[in-house]
Amino acid sequence: MFKVTKPEYANKTFRMPVELIQELETLAQEKDISLNQLVIQCCQYALKNLEKE
């Protein structure tokens, strides 16, 4: 059975270096995705591939 789901989101503010934001914006535009979705994917990848101590 098909079930429509809606992800839950929360708003947070992060300060990032201007150069990093510019790189992310450029990449998001090149890949035709939102900056928000790119940041989410980058964070998820970093967490999944975090070196374990």
Side-chain angles (χ1 to χ4, degrees):
M1 172 75 62
F2 176 72
K3 182 177 180 181
V4 177
T5 61
K6 182 179 178 184
E8 185 176 339
Y9 289 97
N11 290 323
K12 291 287 181 184
T13 301
F14 296 96
R15 290 182 181 86
M16 302 172 91
V18 172
E19 296 82 15
L20 178 58
I21 292 171
Q22 290 171 341
E23 284 186 66
L24 291 168
E25 287 175 333
T26 299
L27 183 58
Q29 188 175 20
E30 289 172 2
K31 299 297 183 181
D32 195 29
I33 64 171
S34 71
L35 178 59
N36 189 68
Q37 283 300 312
L38 177 60
V39 171
I40 289 169
Q41 290 179 37
C42 288
C43 291
Q44 288 173 332
Y45 178 84
L47 289 172
K48 286 179 185 175
N49 294 282
L50 188 62
E51 186 175 305
K52 304 216 190 297
E53 295 180 31

